[in-house]
């Protein structure tokens, strides 16, 4: 059963109840377990939006507190704590400790949670591999690059631009996201700017993309998982991932086998891209390996089944 704190009229293949109806529906339907995502929603449901010193978790809402009801009916709470949703570089560890103390299960994809909550379980970000399916790439020019991200300093647009400006006309850049105010950094004009695209539109671009660029850098204002969701979507279609790795994440993907890791500077990225140009078929094998790894480890349906097995064990 599905509940929303802010219901809207977007299509969803099941009935979605407003959270205000939770207690009534939970009684009538015999709900035994609740699953939620993000730290601020988790602590809102637990009624722990503040610490004793008055510190407030960004985005938490005391009005969503259902903990007395959960306790009364012995309903268990399970959560996935991804970056964002109140979990930032400055989030006090006490908030994570509260989630760990009151949740029956905690899933995550980052070290910060695993180090703070004993027993938390690692799962990568989930993607719809039924939509983002493998597409064999052709050895042809121009080599199609794609950079896809929302506008934020940590996404490393200036680094990507520096690398792209060093390339020849044998490369073409597909640029996706709200980057209108950064286009002046691109001196190399061999690019197409799409703006924001839907998942179906992204799929079309990824299917003709050879290389997906991720140039992320550490940011004291926000956390990103590795690889980013956009990168995982792209890899799933067979794109060769060329990426920085600010988290030094070695959980699942293997460097040199599933993707290529680069230092966060334009020279290192352009050097790797020229290497791929000269070893095109070899690089495309890395793209296929990455796609197979994503299909086996990041597929939404498989992760959901595994999480449910952990919840109901």
């Amino acid at each position: 059963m599905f509940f929303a704190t802010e219901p809207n009229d977007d299509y969803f293949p099941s009935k979605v109840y407003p959270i205000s109806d939770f207690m009534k529906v939970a009684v009538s339907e015999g709900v035994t377990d609740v699953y939620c995502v993000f730290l601020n929603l988790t602590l809102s449901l637990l009624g722990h939006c503040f610490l004793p010193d008055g510190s407030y978790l960004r985005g938490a809402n005391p009005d969503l507190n259902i903990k007395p009801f959960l306790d009364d009916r012995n309903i268990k709470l399970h959560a996935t704590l991804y970056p964002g949703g109140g979990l930032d570089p400055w989030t006090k560890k006490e908030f994570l400790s509260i989630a760990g103390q009151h949740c029956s299960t905690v899933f995550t994809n980052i070290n910060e949670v695993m180090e703070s909550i004993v027993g938390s379980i690692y799962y990568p970000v989930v993607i719809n591999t039924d939509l983002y399916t493998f597409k064999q790439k052709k050895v042809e020019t121009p080599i199609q690059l794609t950079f896809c991200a929302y506008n934020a300093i940590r996404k490393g647009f200036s680094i990507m631009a520096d690398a792209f400006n060093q390339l020849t006309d044998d490369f073409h850049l597909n640029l996706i996201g709200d980057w209108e105010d950064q286009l002046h950094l691109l001196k190399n004009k061999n690019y197409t700017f799409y703006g924001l695209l839907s998942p179906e539109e992204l799929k079309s671009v990824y299917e003709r993309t050879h290389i997906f660029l991720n140039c992320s850098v550490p940011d004291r204002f926000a956390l990103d998982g590795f690889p980013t969701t956009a990168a995982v979507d792209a890899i799933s279609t067979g794109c060769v991932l060329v990426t920085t790795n600010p988290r030094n994440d070695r959980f699942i993907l293997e460097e040199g086998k599933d993707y290529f890791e680069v230092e966060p500077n334009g020279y290192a990225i352009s050097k790797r891209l020229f290497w791929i140009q000269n070893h095109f078929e070899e690089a495309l094998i890395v793209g296929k390996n990455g796609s197979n790894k994503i299909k086996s480890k990041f597929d939404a349906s498989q992760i959901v089944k595994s999480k449910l097995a952990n919840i109901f064990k």
Side-chain angles (χ1 to χ4, degrees):
M1 307 188 70
F2 298 89
F3 296 84
T5 57
E6 297 180 13
N8 57 48
D9 57 3
D10 289 357
Y11 169 75
F12 191 75
S14 183
K15 180 176 177 61
V16 179
Y17 297 88
I19 192 66
S20 57
D21 288 350
F22 173 76
M23 288 183 278
K24 178 180 66 176
V25 175
V27 171
S28 64
E29 299 297 329
V31 170
T32 61
D33 294 79
V34 173
Y35 170 79
C36 63
V37 177
F38 293 125
L39 182 61
N40 49 18
L41 178 57
T42 302
L43 296 192
S44 295
L45 299 180
L46 290 172
H48 286 285
C49 303
F50 297 88
L51 296 177
D53 65 4
S55 298
Y56 165 70
L57 182 69
R58 184 175 61 85
N61 182 357
D63 294 336
L64 299 179
N65 179 10
I66 57 172
K67 188 171 189 305
F69 178 81
L70 299 180
D71 291 343
D72 182 62
R73 298 191 63 84
N74 196 29
I75 296 174
K76 297 178 180 178
L77 182 65
H78 314 269
T80 290
L81 304 184
Y82 287 137
L87 181 52
D88 301 307
W90 62 84
T91 300
K92 292 189 174 183
K93 296 296 188 292
E94 291 88 345
F95 284 121
L96 288 171
S97 296
I98 292 170
Q101 291 167 14
H102 296 284
C103 289
S104 296
T105 320
V106 173
F107 306 108
T108 189
N109 67 334
I110 61 170
N111 271 325
E112 286 85 344
V113 174
M114 296 185 70
E115 292 170 354
S116 296
I117 301 178
V118 176
S120 55
I121 305 170
Y122 175 83
Y123 276 96
V125 64
V126 299
I127 71 160
N128 182 0
T129 55
D130 290 336
L131 175 63
Y132 297 108
T133 56
F134 177 76
K135 179 79 171 181
Q136 183 64 51
K137 314 299 181 182
K138 298 179 181 179
V139 177
E140 60 184 3
T141 56
I143 296 172
Q144 297 291 327
L145 312 172
T146 293
F147 182 87
C148 176
Y150 283 109
N151 194 328
I153 293 175
R154 69 181 183 279
K155 300 302 182 179
F157 185 95
S158 61
I159 296 172
M160 183 278 296
D162 183 32
F164 183 61
N165 289 339
Q166 299 177 44
L167 302 182
T168 65
D169 289 343
D170 289 330
F171 295 85
H172 176 269
L173 173 66
N174 303 293
L175 179 58
I176 302 166
D178 51 340
W179 296 104
E180 291 84 352
D181 64 342
Q182 300 293 311
L183 297 181
H184 66 279
L185 296 176
L186 296 172
K187 309 307 179 185
N188 182 343
K189 299 304 179 182
N190 195 22
Y191 71 89
T192 302
F193 177 55
Y194 292 91
L196 300 175
L197 297 180
S198 69
E200 290 74 19
E201 292 168 327
L202 284 171
K203 175 186 178 182
S204 177
V205 176
Y206 292 160
E207 287 180 344
R208 61 178 184 270
T209 294
H210 297 104
I211 301 169
F212 186 90
L213 296 175
N214 177 263
C215 306
S216 295
V217 296
D219 186 346
R220 65 188 182 90
F221 296 108
L223 293 171
D224 271 346
F226 174 88
T228 64
T229 302
V232 176
D233 291 342
I235 303 170
S236 186
T237 70
C239 297
V240 181
L241 176 62
V242 174
T243 181
T244 57
N245 188 353
R247 303 189 61 78
N248 195 30
D249 184 314
R250 310 292 169 193
F251 281 116
I252 294 179
L253 297 185
E254 297 180 54
E255 200 283 326
K257 180 180 179 181
D258 303 317
Y259 75 102
F260 293 112
E261 189 171 312
V262 290
E263 293 297 317
N265 63 76
Y267 172 75
I269 295 170
S270 62
K271 182 180 178 181
R272 173 55 71 179
L273 295 178
F274 283 128
W275 183 92
I276 291 175
Q277 181 183 22
N278 293 323
H279 303 80
F280 211 162
E281 292 187 2
E282 182 180 343
L284 291 182
I285 292 173
V286 172
K288 186 168 185 179
N289 289 342
S291 176
N292 290 337
K293 184 68 69 69
I294 296 303
K295 181 66 177 177
S296 65
K297 300 295 185 180
F298 291 69
D299 177 66
S301 62
Q302 296 302 315
I303 289 178
V304 167
K305 289 178 183 177
S306 182
K307 282 186 173 181
L308 288 172
N310 274 296
I311 287 173
F312 294 115
K313 64 183 179 181

